[in-house]
Amino acid sequence: MKMNRSLKANTDENNKINEIRLSLNTPKGSKIIWILVEGEDDCKIYPKLFDPSKAKVEYVDGKTSLIEALEILTQKTKQVVGILDADFLHLNKLYPQVKNLFYTDYHDIEMTMLNFEEVRINLLTEYKMQDKQEAIWQNVLEEASYIGYIRWYNDINNREIKFKGLKYGDMIGLNNGKIYLIKSQLLEKLNERSKNKKEDLTEKLITEFIEERTTNDSLNLCNGHDTINLFSLLLEGKASANSFAKELRLSFTNEHFRRTKLYENLQKWQTQNKFQIFIF
């Protein structure tokens, strides 16, 4: 199965590379800048941030595939850039040296969007909870941080813990309007679903890792999908994780984007290369 998925990933990557190469050789395509992103959800946020007549956003599934595609394409053209979720790179202070590759300000684009207080207020106004915004935000961050430490441990030690598709509904408690993570159930679920794991996760193991790696940088520690999932659970059925994510994308505007380091870095890149990729 792994071999088949790898073959599919390689095929998709090669198809995308060939599509871009062919486009660049056409009169219209020769004027387009390609923005490569790593997932389908990214194609729901980034296109509105660029001028569609001058830049086209396409996703290449996964970080490795995107970096490989970018390295191949930049050998032939300047007209392609990649945008990746930073994940734990900002915490680890380790960045792949890849031409025309840019990272989100924080762990991922979702955490970058949630960084803006006015975005969070807009989101919670829909549920008449804007007055509790700060308390809700701190509660969600605190619980998402524990999951973030497990993800970080897995990232550093390559323990093959499977998070994809994980839901937290049966591992969350509610008390006086606050959520709390039932850690033992989370670890049990992760152990159960991670058939190829290299060791069992235990509370002792994660506690020791947290003591060793404690950080106050929640925006780089927490995963955006986890955070959104916890937000939706705190709303007690008023919004699914998918609908909350959609509302987050709608609340994040070009004005917010212009205040990010990602925008600043892309702006410098377009000036250096005499391109114009932004609407504004």
Side-chain angles (χ1 to χ4, degrees), residues 137-147 178 218 222 230:
W137 176 232
Q138 293 305 320
N139 179 202
V140 168
L141 277 184
E142 184 177 350
E143 300 308 310
S145 289
Y146 188 77
I147 307 171
K178 295 182 68 174
S218 301
C222 296
L230 295 180

Side-chain angles (χ1 to χ4, degrees), residues 44-179:
K44 298 174 183 177
I45 176 63
Y46 284 112
K48 73 176 183 179
L49 306 175
F50 298 98
D51 185 336
S53 69
K54 297 174 182 176
K56 185 173 182 180
V57 176
E58 286 286 345
Y59 90 93
V60 181
D61 194 13
K63 282 180 165 52
T64 301
S65 293
L66 188 151
I67 289 173
E68 289 175 353
L70 187 62
E71 288 179 325
I72 291 169
L73 288 165
T74 51
Q75 292 177 20
K76 300 294 184 181
T77 179
K78 294 181 180 180
Q79 291 175 226
V80 59
V81 302
I83 299 175
L84 284 180
D85 287 340
D87 291 342
F88 296 105
L89 293 178
H90 294 323
L91 290 179
N92 295 333
K93 307 298 182 187
L94 294 171
Y95 303 94
Q97 298 301 305
V98 181
K99 185 179 179 182
N100 290 7
L101 181 61
F102 300 90
Y103 297 100
T104 53
D105 288 30
Y106 299 106
H107 191 283
D108 46 38
I109 189 59
E110 288 80 12
M111 294 308 295
T112 301
M113 292 189 285
L114 284 167
N115 168 59
F116 293 94
E117 183 179 9
E118 57 265 41
V119 170
R120 302 193 302 269
I121 290 173
N122 286 343
L123 280 167
L124 291 173
T125 298
E126 181 71 20
Y127 309 101
K128 300 180 181 179
M129 300 174 75
Q130 65 272 22
D131 294 342
K132 302 176 182 177
Q133 180 275 136
E134 185 60 27
I136 289 172
W137 176 232
Q138 293 305 320
N139 179 202
V140 168
L141 277 184
E142 184 177 350
E143 300 308 310
S145 289
Y146 188 77
I147 307 171
Y149 278 114
I150 300 173
R151 287 184 180 271
W152 195 13
Y153 174 82
N154 185 57
D155 181 76
I156 291 173
N157 297 290
N158 191 27
R159 288 301 187 246
E160 297 192 39
I161 303 301
K162 184 180 178 183
F163 289 90
K164 189 172 182 179
L166 182 64
K167 305 295 183 184
Y168 301 106
D170 57 353
M171 318 169 200
I172 288 291
L174 282 164
N175 185 25
N176 293 326
K178 295 182 68 174
I179 57 171

Side-chain angles (χ1 to χ4, degrees), residues 45-50 249-254 279-280:
I45 176 63
Y46 284 112
K48 73 176 183 179
L49 306 175
F50 298 98
R249 292 190 294 268
L250 292 173
S251 295
F252 185 74
T253 66
N254 286 328
I279 301 170
F280 34 85

